[in-house]
Amino acid sequence: MSLGWVLTMVALLPLAAWGIAVAVVAVRRWLRRRGDERTRRLRLARMLGAADLVVVPTADVDLPETAVLEVASDAGMRLLGYERTDTPLRRRVGVFVRVGGEVDMVIRGDGGQARERDATTPR
């Protein structure tokens, strides 16, 4: 193999890497969107779990916002809003808090007394 062919192959490596990256992103997107709406709702409910504060990438959910709000309310969560813009390198995320949880009380402003009470009680 001559030096010219080796240099040509080395020059084409970044193009091949970009092609592989695009293929990986396409496969991941396809895998996230598999299943019917019921399956995606169940996946979202599992993501919400039992934590007081949950951050869920919107690309992982792939449901209409009304369905997301319905699943969140069924799980005892409320949507605070969205963080970050949705770009190829940074995905937009939805921020959820548990209704009546510690984080929710602090956000609403009525958590000061609860924090003082919790600080004096042993755990």
Side-chain angles (χ1 to χ4, degrees), residues 32-33 40 44 47 55-65 68 79 81-87 90-96:
R32 270 196 306 268
R33 292 184 177 170
R40 292 190 302 256
L44 174 61
M47 284 182 197
V55 177
V56 177
T58 56
D60 289 351
V61 175
D62 192 39
L63 285 169
E65 188 168 355
V68 170
L79 176 68
Y82 295 104
E83 270 302 311
R84 297 191 290 222
T85 58
D86 198 11
T87 65
R90 296 182 72 190
R91 296 189 294 178
R92 188 170 82 155
V93 295
V95 181
F96 296 88

Side-chain angles (χ1 to χ4, degrees), residues 65-81:
E65 188 168 355
T66 55
V68 170
L69 294 175
E70 184 180 322
V71 171
S73 67
D74 289 346
M77 306 286 276
R78 70 180 176 92
L79 176 68
L80 279 183

Side-chain angles (χ1 to χ4, degrees), residues 1-18:
M1 187 177 265
S2 70
L3 182 61
W5 282 109
V6 171
L7 290 175
T8 302
M9 296 297 255
V10 169
L12 291 176
L13 279 176
L15 185 62
W18 274 103

Side-chain angles (χ1 to χ4, degrees), residues 5-52:
W5 282 109
V6 171
L7 290 175
T8 302
M9 296 297 255
V10 169
L12 291 176
L13 279 176
L15 185 62
W18 274 103
I20 291 170
V22 167
V24 166
V25 167
V27 167
R28 287 187 68 209
R29 184 171 292 156
W30 176 79
L31 288 174
R32 270 196 306 268
R33 292 184 177 170
R34 70 173 188 248
D36 57 353
E37 185 172 334
R38 182 172 175 246
T39 304
R40 292 190 302 256
R41 283 174 175 257
L42 180 61
R43 190 178 310 132
L44 174 61
R46 286 182 181 161
M47 284 182 197
L48 293 175
D52 277 349

